[in-house]
Amino acid sequence: MNREEQFERRVAGLLGEASAQIRVVKAGERLKLGLPRRGEGLARTFSLYQPQTAKAVALKWGLRQACSLGGRFVFPKMQGVVEKSCPDWIADPNSVGILFGNPSHKSLRAAVCYQGKGGWEVAKLIEDSGSGQLENERAALEAAAARGVAVPRVEGFERLEGCVLLRMEFLESEGVDIDVEEMIPLASKMLSEKKMLVSEWKPWTDLTVFFEPSVARDLGQLEVSSALSHGDFAKWNVRKSKDGFFLIDWEYGSDKSLSGLDLV
């Protein structure tokens, strides 16, 4: 059993009976979709996957069409299904859908959407080697919400055997192409009048190797404007809802970053 199969079984074990109806299909390089039984969950599962190439967009469209015609059942069932109750944060086992993987990340991960007790939610799971990213995302989401930036509400955070779990509100979004200029007001909300030393910026430690020690020390003592930073401020991480734009995927976010860094 390879690493990906082990992770899939671990996710199935966590979901318990909710994984029994899930059908898994390859959706791209290192990507799989776990398709749920319930139609409403199916639409949300597809919304988790935002392909960046024409080939991937075409594949996603084809899969959606196949599923709309009942083709979901031709795909194999999820591996490692166990006969136990699903977690108490899942209200409807038939609503659960999954996006496995991300080609740009080393740590194995999954995003799970489901009907929770208070509405639709999405949970991120990452194997232990990437636990710091989810811890960082939780802190960044809470900092962003405190500044009035539209982000998903954090519903819970857990350390599990072999992985960590971050649960968030599932915000409905419209399938529209976002213009880069529309993103600027979002970035402006993350600015601040607070000050910080350059040495307090987390990446600074890695950058000091490019300077003479005395120069690095002097630069580190410079006082600059501090700001909230997303860290991957690209249009595929900006969604539009009926209430306006909101930002997702804050794994590289920081509440103590250089002002305007997201606009570079």
Side-chain angles (χ1 to χ4, degrees), residues 176-188:
V176 297
D177 190 29
I178 296 168
D179 191 286
V180 174
E181 291 183 0
E182 295 178 293
M183 298 165 57
I184 295 177
L186 271 177
S188 66

Side-chain angles (χ1 to χ4, degrees), residues 198-199 201-209:
V198 170
S199 59
W201 182 43
K202 195 173 181 179
W204 177 245
T205 302
D206 295 328
L207 295 175
T208 56
V209 297

Side-chain angles (χ1 to χ4, degrees), residues 40-51:
E40 196 175 356
L42 193 62
R44 285 175 169 80
T45 302
F46 276 111
S47 75
L48 295 175
Y49 179 34
Q50 298 296 312

Side-chain angles (χ1 to χ4, degrees), residues 10 69 73 82-84 98 103 149 169 200 218 252 262:
R10 183 173 291 133
L69 297 172
F73 296 100
V82 293
E83 296 298 328
K84 71 172 186 178
I98 311 171
V149 179
E169 168 190 21
E200 295 178 283
D218 292 342
Y252 303 107
D262 279 331

